[in-house]
């Protein structure tokens, strides 16, 4: 009996061990399965035909006729003298000498698309579609609806920076599209574009959202990228989701590629629609910082893992008044995380001047919350240009090249410095040479630039600079750099070789 009981207990133990191992192997196998997606509705095509049928009547063709004297429009994102030739029709702009005009006068005819957003005839389009409109009596803006009727249009409001305009025709009870929201869009979602490419009215194309947050310049616009075919004449037309909601305004193409188009996210348009309807200049918030992405060098130097580095703080502006310091890391705006300088610019510019925002700050290993009242972007930019125009380039002499005792600056970091001439307005040291194969060159350090701070410590002369470099102990240098006239400023993180 004892033997039987002993054998039974042994067998039970072996079985339990076997089941445990089997469970462990099964769990491990489950963890190593490839990523898959459960296909829902894969047997059904997206309702593109229904979207096209119902939304086509809300899309209009716009023709802009103006008389100009050698005037060419610079697109706010792309620029270029041949912008109209670059983007839209119908059939591209047609320009010819006006028989009544002077020697330099030209008759410019350009076209684009638009989408009706109210039954009273409000139409969203691109700023560059109506850009050449002026006060001349000969200038005209004509809108043609899907039923073939033509209307004269007036401009209610426009925002060059976002490349958006709101125009109106004298009509009522029109079919109109609903403005959706674009913030929650996912890459890969189906979209439909409707417009008038090359004058071919009400052309429908389909595709997906290829990417979000695309930057075409350094301004406030952050574009949706789509592979839905967009061509000349599509500018100003709607980009629609499968519910028939407008989620973007088509604005640009990449002529070097195929089916690489861009649209202004409708969420950005929704934030300024009241300003456009009122005809007042668009109010856009301004923080007054120079942002930089938090790359690995900054992460190592500042101990932060996510956010945007404050490279510069404009004295007397919103960030300065709120207590933001250079080399702070902004991790969130009103609780919304920001992971790149583009996200920070978008978050701030989406607010109005005078709005209050809460900034989450990482500083010296601690998290702070600062409250900033935003300034007016346009007013501050104009002031900055005036201030910049008052600066003058100053020529200074060169002293003897300085050396950091105990640290070979050129060998460790790849650049050399000299003391500034005492007659200069700036205090600091001037960069005299940069090894093109060094990290310093990769990050933009160049001869002639002036180093005025190391970390947060001002360096008024070569001795103070040497002391701060020695104090860094061969680790990443955080240098506050200015142009020789002090008009341009930036912080650079220079890692050792």
């Amino acid at each position: 009996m004892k033997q039987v009981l002993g054998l039974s207990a042994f067998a039970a133990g072996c079985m339990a061990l076997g089941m445990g191992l089997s469970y462990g192997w099964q769990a491990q196998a489950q963890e190593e399965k490839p990523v898959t997606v459960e296909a829902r509705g894969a047997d059904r095509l997206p309702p593109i035909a229904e979207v096209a049928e119902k939304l086509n009547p809300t899309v209009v063709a716009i023709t802009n006729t103006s008389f100009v004297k050698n005037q060419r429009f610079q697109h706010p994102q792309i620029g270029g003298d041949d912008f109209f030739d670059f983007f839209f029709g119908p059939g591209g702009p047609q320009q010819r000498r006006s028989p009544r005009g002077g020697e330099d006068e030209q008759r410019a005819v350009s076209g684009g698309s638009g989408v009706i957003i109210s039954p009273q005839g409000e139409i969203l389009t691109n700023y560059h579609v109506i850009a050449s409109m002026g006060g001349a009596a000969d200038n005209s803006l004509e809108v043609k609806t899907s039923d073939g009727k033509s209307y004269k249009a007036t401009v209610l409001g426009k925002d060059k920076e976002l490349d958006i305009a709101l125009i109106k025709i004298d009509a009522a009870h029109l079919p109109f599209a609903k403005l959706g929201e674009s913030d929650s869009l996912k890459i890969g979602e189906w979209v439909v574009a409707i417009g008038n490419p090359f004058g071919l009215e009400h052309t429908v194309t389909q595709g997906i959202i290829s990417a979000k947050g695309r930057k075409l310049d350094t301004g406030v616009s952050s574009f949706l990228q789509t592979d839905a075919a967009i061509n000349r004449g599509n500018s100003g037309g709607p980009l629609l989701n499968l519910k028939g909601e407008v989620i973007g305004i088509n604005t640009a193409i990449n002529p070097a590629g195929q089916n690489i188009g861009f649209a202004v996210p409708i969420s950005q348009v929704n934030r300024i629609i009241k300003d456009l309807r009122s005809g007042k200049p668009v109010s856009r918030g301004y923080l007054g910082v120079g942002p930089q992405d938090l790359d690995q060098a900054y992460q190592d130097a500042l101990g932060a893992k996510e956010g945007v580095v404050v490279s510069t703080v404009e004295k007397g502006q919103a960030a300065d008044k709120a207590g933001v310091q250079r080399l702070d890391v902004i991790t969130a705006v009103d609780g919304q995380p920001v992971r790149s300088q583009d996200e920070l610019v978008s978050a701030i510019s989406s607010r109005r001047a005078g709005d209050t925002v809460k900034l989450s700050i990482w500083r010296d290993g601690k998290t702070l919350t600062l409250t900033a009242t935003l300034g007016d972007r346009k007013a501050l930019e104009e002031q900055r240009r005036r201030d910049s125009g008052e600066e003058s380039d100053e020529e200074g002499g060169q002293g003897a090249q300085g050396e950091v005792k105990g640290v070979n600056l050129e060998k460790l970091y790849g650049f050399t410095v000299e003391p500034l001439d005492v007659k200069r307005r700036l205090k600091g040291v001037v960069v005299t040479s940069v090894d093109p194969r060094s990290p310093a060159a990769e990050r933009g350090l160049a001869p002639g630039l002036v180093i005025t701070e190391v970390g947060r410590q001002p360096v008024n002369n070569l001795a103070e600079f040497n002391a701060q470099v020695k104090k860094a102990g061969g680790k990443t240098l955080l240098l506050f750099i200015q142009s020789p006239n002090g008009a341009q400023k930036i912080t650079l993180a220079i890692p050792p070789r």
Side-chain angles (χ1 to χ4, degrees), residues 31 47 51 119 187 226 351 394 414 484:
E31 291 174 359
V51 173
I187 296 174
T226 179
R351 272 76 170 177
E394 297 176 355

Side-chain angles (χ1 to χ4, degrees), residues 206-271:
Q206 56 81 25
I208 62 170
I209 295 293
S210 305
K212 296 171 61 178
R214 291 298 196 207
K215 296 291 289 185
L216 302 186
D217 73 333
T218 57
V220 302
S221 300
S222 181
F223 293 89
L224 301 174
Q225 180 183 330
T226 179
D227 69 345
I230 296 175
N231 293 285
R232 299 172 183 172
N234 277 108
S235 289
L239 190 67
L240 305 160
N241 61 20
L242 295 187
K243 297 178 182 178
E245 298 171 336
V246 181
I247 50 91
I249 300 297
N250 301 320
T251 188
I253 61 174
N254 186 333
Q258 293 184 348
N259 294 350
I260 301 178
F262 302 94
V264 179
I266 203 65
S267 294
Q268 295 188 24
V269 180
N270 284 333
R271 296 183 185 113

Side-chain angles (χ1 to χ4, degrees), residues 101-411:
E103 185 64 25
D104 295 330
E105 190 176 46
Q106 293 179 324
R107 182 178 185 270
V109 180
S110 58
S113 306
V115 57
I116 304 172
I117 63 168
S118 77
Q120 292 78 34
E122 290 179 330
I123 298 169
L124 274 178
T125 186
N126 286 143
Y127 170 81
H128 70 256
V129 172
I130 59 95
S132 60
M133 280 292 294
D138 290 336
N139 294 356
S140 65
L141 198 63
E142 184 178 293
V143 170
K144 185 178 180 181
T145 55
S146 62
D147 57 5
K149 295 181 180 179
S150 295
Y151 301 86
K152 295 294 183 182
T154 57
V155 179
L156 294 181
K158 52 191 176 181
D159 182 12
K160 179 179 180 180
E161 198 163 12
L162 200 59
D163 194 21
I164 289 294
L166 183 67
I167 64 177
K168 190 178 185 308
I169 58 177
D170 188 10
H173 309 297
L174 295 174
F176 65 99
K178 179 183 178 181
L179 300 184
E181 64 90 21
S182 54
D183 290 339
S184 62
L185 281 174
K186 296 180 180 179
I187 296 174
E189 282 194 38
W190 284 95
V191 289
V192 178
I194 305 179
N196 306 288
F198 304 105
L200 302 173
E201 296 180 4
H202 297 276
T203 296
V204 179
T205 56
Q206 56 81 25
I208 62 170
I209 295 293
S210 305
K212 296 171 61 178
R214 291 298 196 207
K215 296 291 289 185
L216 302 186
D217 73 333
T218 57
V220 302
S221 300
S222 181
F223 293 89
L224 301 174
Q225 180 183 330
T226 179
D227 69 345
I230 296 175
N231 293 285
R232 299 172 183 172
N234 277 108
S235 289
L239 190 67
L240 305 160
N241 61 20
L242 295 187
K243 297 178 182 178
E245 298 171 336
V246 181
I247 50 91
I249 300 297
N250 301 320
T251 188
I253 61 174
N254 186 333
Q258 293 184 348
N259 294 350
I260 301 178
F262 302 94
V264 179
I266 203 65
S267 294
Q268 295 188 24
V269 180
N270 284 333
R271 296 183 185 113
I272 66 168
I273 196 72
K274 289 183 179 179
D275 289 333
L276 294 177
R277 283 178 169 139
S278 69
K280 298 178 182 178
V282 172
S283 175
R284 190 168 278 121
Y286 191 81
L287 187 58
V289 300
Q292 296 226 149
D293 288 337
L294 185 71
D295 60 15
Q296 190 60 51
Y298 275 123
Q299 291 180 27
D300 295 341
L302 299 175
K305 298 301 180 184
E306 193 174 82
V308 181
V309 181
V310 177
S311 173
T312 60
V313 179
E314 294 186 35
K315 188 176 181 180
Q317 304 306 335
D320 182 41
K321 293 177 181 178
V324 177
Q325 299 180 11
R326 191 173 63 84
L327 298 180
D328 281 349
V329 178
I330 301 176
T331 59
V333 177
D334 285 336
Q336 184 68 32
V338 289
R339 302 176 182 86
S340 68
Q341 55 180 315
D342 291 343
E343 289 185 0
L344 178 62
V345 171
S346 178
I348 296 300
S349 61
S350 67
R351 272 76 170 177
R352 299 171 62 88
D355 285 354
T356 298
V357 296
K358 292 187 180 298
L359 305 175
S360 299
I361 302 289
W362 173 272
R363 179 189 299 168
D364 297 331
K366 298 179 181 179
T367 301
L368 309 173
T369 300
L370 303 178
T371 301
T373 301
L374 300 178
D376 186 270
R377 179 184 175 89
K378 183 173 292 187
L380 292 174
E381 285 184 345
E382 292 176 356
Q383 181 63 43
R384 183 195 301 157
R385 284 193 293 268
R386 289 195 294 267
D387 292 344
S388 178
E390 294 174 3
E391 299 285 350
S392 60
D393 292 328
E394 297 176 355
E395 300 295 334
Q398 296 182 348
Q401 181 170 319
E403 296 180 356
V404 181
K405 294 182 179 180
V407 178
N408 188 325
L409 190 65
E410 184 174 13
K411 182 178 180 179

Side-chain angles (χ1 to χ4, degrees), residues 11-127:
C14 290
M15 185 179 295
L17 178 62
M19 291 177 65
L21 291 174
S22 175
Y23 178 79
W25 293 332
Q26 183 180 5
Q28 184 178 8
Q30 289 177 347
E31 291 174 359
E32 294 178 353
K33 284 184 178 180
V35 177
T36 59
V37 176
E38 181 183 352
R40 295 186 297 270
D43 57 334
R44 299 191 304 271
L45 292 175
I48 294 171
E50 186 177 356
V51 173
E53 180 182 4
K54 290 188 175 181
L55 272 298
N56 241 325
T58 70
V59 180
V60 300
I62 300 174
T63 301
N64 183 359
T65 303
S66 59
F67 294 85
V68 297
K69 293 185 178 181
N70 293 334
Q71 181 179 348
R72 306 291 283 184
F73 171 66
Q74 294 285 335
H75 186 273
Q77 279 80 37
I78 305 297
D81 289 335
D82 296 322
F83 181 79
F84 284 112
D85 294 329
F86 187 75
F87 278 128
F88 54 100
Q94 303 164 6
Q95 296 184 341
R96 58 182 180 269
R97 295 288 182 184
S98 168
R100 293 180 297 149
E103 185 64 25
D104 295 330
E105 190 176 46
Q106 293 179 324
R107 182 178 185 270
V109 180
S110 58
S113 306
V115 57
I116 304 172
I117 63 168
S118 77
Q120 292 78 34
E122 290 179 330
I123 298 169
L124 274 178
T125 186
N126 286 143
Y127 170 81

